[in-house]
Amino acid sequence: MGREQITLLSRREIDKMRQAGQLAAELLDYLAPMVKPGVSTLEINDEAERWTQARGAKSAPLGYGPKNNPFTRSICTSVNEVICHGIPNAKQILQDGDIINIDVTPILDGYHGDTSRTFFVGTPSPEAKRLVEVTEECLRRGIAAVKPGAKIGDIGAAIQEYAEANGYSVVRDFVGHGISHVFHTAPQIPHYGTRGKGKRLKPGMVFTIEPMINQGTWEAVMLDDGWTAITADGKLSAQFEHTVAVTKDGVEILTLRN
Ligand code: MF3
Ligand code: CO
Ligand code: CO
């Protein structure tokens, strides 16, 4: 980890990333009202695909991954104990009290906008509500640690401290990532770690921060489909994600709607 070169994007490339990021944020806003009891995760997927195509963009997840087992849908839908990479399915019907992370990555003019939020289906339990609120605050604190001269470890430390102070655990097996005209590239951004450790942040770096926070153990188990990651203890997991750029004096959230 941390051996490959980190590309610094030009002003022009960051403009492209902003356009893709804005599209991704709009897509989540468009899908949000669909999150209701009785809706299948495939219905949400199909609306996302239709909306994305109508804007001249492509869905990065569709066909992504190893040739012998590519991802077969346009978005990830991760319900309750699913940590990430849940595969939309016609038989998976949302129920009152579920939580669902919707993770979208449209490609616009060659550049990726990667963002996700966890939504409540109907009325959440107090436990689910607290987990989701703490997870969103973890992302906020991770982003607040981003500025030129800070270290990658500062981001994970901020997230881990807040998650663990609230009695939760931080998933280790999946991390944030550099992103541009490629979906996943250097650097890796762990959501745990030590302040002052890791590479130094520089203006022009663009990466995601996407903490996955668990109610119980951080350990993950992969289902036989080769994609769906679930909590080892079956307890809830939540996630929020933004794509961010390191700027001259701080950070710009590219997937926050202007
Ligand atoms: N959007 C996910 C991320 O945040 C990646 C999904 S890859 C897929 O990195 F193939 F599962 F869609
Ligand atoms: Co991502
Ligand atoms: Co994502």
Side-chain angles (χ1 to χ4, degrees), residues 114 177 184 208 210 241:
D114 190 2
H177 50 91
H184 295 101
T208 72
E210 47 182 298
E241 173 175 27

mmCIF file of all heavy atoms in Angstrom, residues 114 177 184 208 210 241, ligand 2:
data_model
loop_
_atom_site.group_PDB
_atom_site.id
_atom_site.type_symbol
_atom_site.label_atom_id
_atom_site.label_comp_id
_atom_site.label_asym_id
_atom_site.label_seq_id
_atom_site.Cartn_x
_atom_site.Cartn_y
_atom_site.Cartn_z
ATOM 1 N N ASP A 114 -18.269 9.814 -7.438
ATOM 2 C CA ASP A 114 -18.562 8.661 -6.574
ATOM 3 C C ASP A 114 -19.108 9.173 -5.239
ATOM 4 O O ASP A 114 -18.384 9.857 -4.499
ATOM 5 C CB ASP A 114 -17.253 7.876 -6.383
ATOM 6 C CG ASP A 114 -17.435 6.519 -5.717
ATOM 7 O OD1 ASP A 114 -18.574 6.133 -5.427
ATOM 8 O OD2 ASP A 114 -16.395 5.850 -5.495
ATOM 9 N N HIS A 177 -10.453 5.889 -1.979
ATOM 10 C CA HIS A 177 -9.529 5.659 -3.104
ATOM 11 C C HIS A 177 -9.377 6.900 -3.958
ATOM 12 O O HIS A 177 -10.313 7.690 -4.094
ATOM 13 C CB HIS A 177 -10.092 4.520 -3.975
ATOM 14 C CG HIS A 177 -11.546 4.707 -4.345
ATOM 15 N ND1 HIS A 177 -11.943 5.344 -5.490
ATOM 16 C CD2 HIS A 177 -12.682 4.383 -3.676
ATOM 17 C CE1 HIS A 177 -13.275 5.381 -5.514
ATOM 18 N NE2 HIS A 177 -13.757 4.817 -4.421
ATOM 19 N N HIS A 184 -10.875 3.407 -9.458
ATOM 20 C CA HIS A 184 -10.153 3.144 -8.207
ATOM 21 C C HIS A 184 -8.655 3.205 -8.472
ATOM 22 O O HIS A 184 -8.129 2.401 -9.238
ATOM 23 C CB HIS A 184 -10.532 1.771 -7.643
ATOM 24 C CG HIS A 184 -11.972 1.672 -7.235
ATOM 25 N ND1 HIS A 184 -12.923 1.067 -8.022
ATOM 26 C CD2 HIS A 184 -12.631 2.120 -6.141
ATOM 27 C CE1 HIS A 184 -14.100 1.144 -7.413
ATOM 28 N NE2 HIS A 184 -13.958 1.779 -6.275
ATOM 29 N N THR A 208 -11.812 9.637 -2.677
ATOM 30 C CA THR A 208 -13.060 9.481 -1.929
ATOM 31 C C THR A 208 -12.745 9.258 -0.449
ATOM 32 O O THR A 208 -11.676 8.747 -0.099
ATOM 33 C CB THR A 208 -13.899 8.288 -2.419
ATOM 34 O OG1 THR A 208 -13.253 7.074 -2.007
ATOM 35 C CG2 THR A 208 -14.074 8.306 -3.931
ATOM 36 N N GLU A 210 -15.110 7.357 2.447
ATOM 37 C CA GLU A 210 -16.360 6.586 2.439
ATOM 38 C C GLU A 210 -16.462 5.631 3.630
ATOM 39 O O GLU A 210 -16.545 4.412 3.449
ATOM 40 C CB GLU A 210 -16.507 5.838 1.115
ATOM 41 C CG GLU A 210 -15.278 5.075 0.627
ATOM 42 C CD GLU A 210 -15.541 4.417 -0.738
ATOM 43 O OE1 GLU A 210 -16.436 3.557 -0.805
ATOM 44 O OE2 GLU A 210 -14.838 4.761 -1.703
ATOM 45 N N GLU A 241 -20.414 8.562 1.577
ATOM 46 C CA GLU A 241 -19.226 8.777 0.729
ATOM 47 C C GLU A 241 -19.313 10.096 -0.017
ATOM 48 O O GLU A 241 -20.371 10.443 -0.555
ATOM 49 C CB GLU A 241 -19.119 7.640 -0.300
ATOM 50 C CG GLU A 241 -18.012 7.845 -1.334
ATOM 51 C CD GLU A 241 -17.830 6.660 -2.279
ATOM 52 O OE1 GLU A 241 -18.808 5.922 -2.517
ATOM 53 O OE2 GLU A 241 -16.695 6.489 -2.767
HETATM 54 CO CO CO B 2 -15.703 4.983 -3.717
#
